[in-house]
Amino acid sequence: MTAEVTPAGIVSCPRCGLRLEEAVLGGSLYVCPSCHTHLPMPALQRIAQLADARSFREWDRGLTSVDPLRFADRRPYRERLAEARQATGLREAVVTGQATLNGQPFVLVVFDFRFLGGTMGSAAGEKVARAFEGATRRRLPVIAVTASGGARMQEGVLSLVQMSKTAAAAGQHHAAGLPYIVVLTNPTFGGVAASFGARGDVLLAEPEALVGFVGPRVVEMTTGEPAPEEAYRAETLLRHGLVDMIVPRGQQRRVLSYLLRHLRPAPAGRSGRPQLPPLAQPAQLSAWETVQLARRVGRPTSVDYLSRVFDGFVELHGDRTSGDDPAGVAGLGELDGQTVLVVAQERGRTEEEQVQRRRGMAMPEGFRKACRIMRLASKFRLPLVTLVDTPGAYAGPEAERRGLAGAIADCLATMVALPVPTVAVVIGEGGSGGALALATADRVLMLEHAIYSVISPEGAAAILYRNASRAPQVAETLRLTSADLKRLGVVDRVVPEPPGGAHTDPQRAAELLRDHLVDALREVQAQAPRRLLRDRYQRYRHMGQVGTYWKVLLQQELEELREGVTRRLRRPEKVPEAP
């Protein structure tokens, strides 16, 4: 959909047909007041929307296109250029420069679709490349607002190679560890989308924007097959994990300001460590009773803790490849006054949600999303926190065809090599490799009534006894409770829960978790990155070494013996009855 502009400056909404003066549209950020369609926004108005007043300083204004091929179709290319300049007041399809947003400096790249469909010719490509290079020299983030039909065919292959130029410049900016955020507007296709447009650390899209490589009209004309616009809609891309979020125009300043403020190395947390309450006497539950409590519907899930533990949490979506797995939630927020990236497994708070989210059992795209967030943590030197709550990875032919084992392996390899502090928390059920993929951390915490095991008790009973009903018996031998795993050295600390379990007081449970998270994070942040990596490697290198578990079992038996002797000594002696 493209808005029609009459010679009198009246814009007709392509959806509802409402006719509005451009001056009126400017006041509504070029959003139709009747149907809320986001109409094409001129570059200068876009800059005024995003940049602080009088802060924008344009770069490379003198760069303009020439006619290297002396191209002509129905009209000479030179005439089309002159007409576009007169109609828009611009010299090219893109405007670049430096500005501030709520006082934060950044480099802005804005395309204007009115200038030859926002196509990228040699001059536009050069301006984009110089913008990235200037941002890299000045150590500044880049925000790009795209609106383009692709490469400018009037400049032939010289236009095509601008894709390589701009991708290379964006790559250098990325290698320098600097933030790059893209706002995809309607339409964004071709060379702009497939070079630097899809390379952002965070991809925002406007509602109903059409985004892709080859547009539906070109597809239909070249293949003879109709290409429904719905396949290119931003909402479709969000469902398939290709953009992070859809942000209406009126909210873009707030979201972009938040991202600029948080996508940078985290300052040190507050000095000192929180005063942790003394550990209460743990509840005397059997292993099977603990299993039932960990799985209880109504027990706080990751979503509950994300809203209560982290300030200003913003969710990022998708693996940028094929999907956005609802079994995983990821994003960034604040903990102890510093930015952290968070990856969490979400099992669902109701029975209906548990079906939708597969009780936290991730598909390959869920693990790929986790890897993507881990790479952001590495790039921006931000701590990573993971919340583990899953019976395991989602098993099935479909998951296997999409590379489940490889996705888990990549997740493990990425997490163990992260040059930033990592803290994992098992909040409910930690099962098999699906849990371990997010738990290979510097510090592993475990809620008091959580469980963590190589396999579910039912699965183990079915394998060992061919009888799943023996799960309660097997649960005892798997040593899957927090106390067991603390003794085995698999987890570093047990986070107490309110009496009766976290479900009895979710707010208090979140407060206890927050205090222990902050304490663990401050502990690992005190270490230099090189030592952090070395200690993490040694930690997992020595787990399960020959002799380790015999030592643990011996210690456990001695402890049980000591407790038994103590109980007998405390037992009041029986006074013999008088004869």
Side-chain angles (χ1 to χ4, degrees), residues 317-397:
H317 292 268
D319 66 349
R320 296 282 180 85
T321 302
S322 62
D324 182 45
D325 193 342
V329 180
L332 65 161
E334 290 185 13
L335 179 67
D336 188 34
Q338 65 177 320
T339 304
V340 296
L341 284 159
V342 187
V343 178
Q345 291 163 330
E346 173 57 33
R347 60 184 167 88
R349 290 176 285 186
T350 65
E351 292 184 1
E352 183 180 354
E353 277 190 8
Q354 288 191 357
V355 172
Q356 178 190 359
R357 296 183 184 270
R358 302 186 301 276
R359 292 190 299 138
M361 293 187 288
M363 295 284 282
E365 51 266 33
F367 294 108
R368 286 194 291 263
K369 176 164 66 172
C371 280
R372 183 187 150 228
I373 299 302
M374 291 176 191
R375 287 191 291 270
L376 287 181
S378 177
K379 175 177 178 177
F380 297 116
R381 295 297 189 263
L382 294 171
L384 177 75
V385 174
T386 63
L387 303 181
V388 176
D389 193 3
T390 179
Y394 185 77

Side-chain angles (χ1 to χ4, degrees), residues 43-53 253:
L44 298 183
Q45 280 81 353
R46 177 78 68 172
I47 292 167
Q49 171 209 358
L50 297 180
D52 294 338
R253 269 187 67 93

